[in-house]
Amino acid sequence: MAVKIEPSWKQRLEGEFAQPYFNQLTTLVRQEYRQYSCYPPGPLIFNAFNLCPFDKVKVVIIGQDPYHEPGQAMGLSFSVPDGIPMPPSLINIFREISSDLGKAMPTTGNLTRWAQQGVMLLNATLTVRAHQAGSHQRMGWETFTDAVIRSLNAGRDHLVFILWGSYARSKAAFIDRSRHLVLESVHPSPLSANRGGWFGNHHFSRANAFLAAHGLEPIDW
């Protein structure tokens, strides 16, 4: 199946694209986009891959579902385009960065600059129907993105996997901790973060320390 995706990822994932489940998935997604408003826009479904080639990945941040309200989803977990108000989880992410690294709160929630530095902002489900959180779960996306995580685990060394919340933390089973750093905490959503365990996790400074220790350029968060 012809999938428009960055060449290094296409090479790594061509076995997945040939699987029956992926053919069924693309059929379902096309039907959804024809019948309903869905996000992100079609050309941005693989944005996380297109902005961050396989060999450039340094950090993987795993989300669950794209934002499901108009104008928010852009194919990067937790990110919103310039000019769109920051969702509460993203505000808490930036608050932790400010506390951890002493950086000022940014004026935009667009995380393209992270992706271009090697931060893979991967949602487990890459599409969603408008106003219906989780509506494209269990269609096959999770099988695909689990294969992405396994490919990164096997094909790269010294990556940082950042897992927030119970769903993302379940992906730790795929990751070799002897070769990669796994950082886990509660989700940055207000419901979880305000119970404790989010603020003060120092994931951003810890990720950068690991990268620097392995001769890699830290991320400008």
Side-chain angles (χ1 to χ4, degrees):
M1 173 165 294
V3 177
K4 293 181 179 178
I5 193 170
E6 192 275 333
S8 67
W9 282 110
K10 188 161 193 171
Q11 180 181 8
R12 289 278 174 172
L13 299 172
E14 59 185 356
E16 296 302 310
F17 299 144
Q19 295 290 326
Y21 87 84
F22 196 85
N23 184 60
Q24 181 180 17
L25 169 62
T26 55
T27 298
L28 290 170
V29 169
R30 285 172 180 150
Q31 289 174 349
E32 285 283 305
Y33 273 71
R34 280 196 299 266
Q35 295 178 18
Y36 306 100
S37 293
C38 294
Y39 307 122
L44 296 181
I45 291 173
F46 294 108
N47 199 25
F49 301 82
N50 295 335
L51 289 174
C52 195
F54 183 87
D55 291 327
K56 301 294 185 184
V57 177
K58 298 178 182 177
V59 178
V60 184
I61 299 179
I62 298 174
Q64 186 165 355
D65 216 28
Y67 296 124
H68 55 270
E69 296 303 324
Q72 292 182 313
M74 55 182 295
L76 303 174
S77 62
F78 297 102
S79 180
V80 292
D82 293 330
I84 299 295
M86 296 184 203
S89 292
L90 187 55
I91 291 173
N92 282 341
I93 288 170
F94 285 132
R95 283 176 176 163
E96 174 57 23
I97 290 171
S98 180
S99 172
D100 189 15
L101 299 172
K103 295 177 69 71
M105 287 286 288
T107 57
T108 177
N110 188 335
L111 303 181
T112 296
R113 62 186 182 85
W114 289 8
Q116 291 170 334
Q117 296 177 76
V119 181
M120 180 81 175
L121 295 162
L122 179 68
N123 278 318
T125 303
L126 298 188
T127 58
V128 69
R129 193 186 296 181
H131 317 301
Q132 297 185 36
S135 49
H136 288 184
Q137 292 176 7
R138 294 174 292 281
M139 285 172 44
W141 278 128
E142 295 92 342
T143 302
F144 174 71
T145 53
D146 283 355
V148 172
I149 297 167
R150 288 190 174 99
S151 180
L152 285 164
N153 173 68
R156 296 291 312 281
D157 287 308
H158 311 314
L159 297 181
V160 181
F161 288 86
I162 297 181
L163 312 178
W164 296 327
S166 58
Y167 183 84
R169 294 172 81 171
S170 71
K171 307 301 182 181
F174 308 148
I175 302 165
D176 181 354
R177 293 174 186 258
S178 71
R179 293 169 41 238
H180 306 292
L181 177 64
V182 178
L183 299 175
E184 303 180 60
S185 79
V186 299
H187 196 275
S189 66
L191 186 64
S192 298
N194 293 337
R195 291 179 183 157
W198 166 257
F199 295 107
N201 66 31
H202 300 291
H203 280 184
F204 305 96
S205 61
R206 290 167 67 188
N208 277 354
F210 180 84
L211 294 174
H214 290 92
L216 300 168
E217 185 74 21
I219 304 300
D220 179 7
W221 299 106

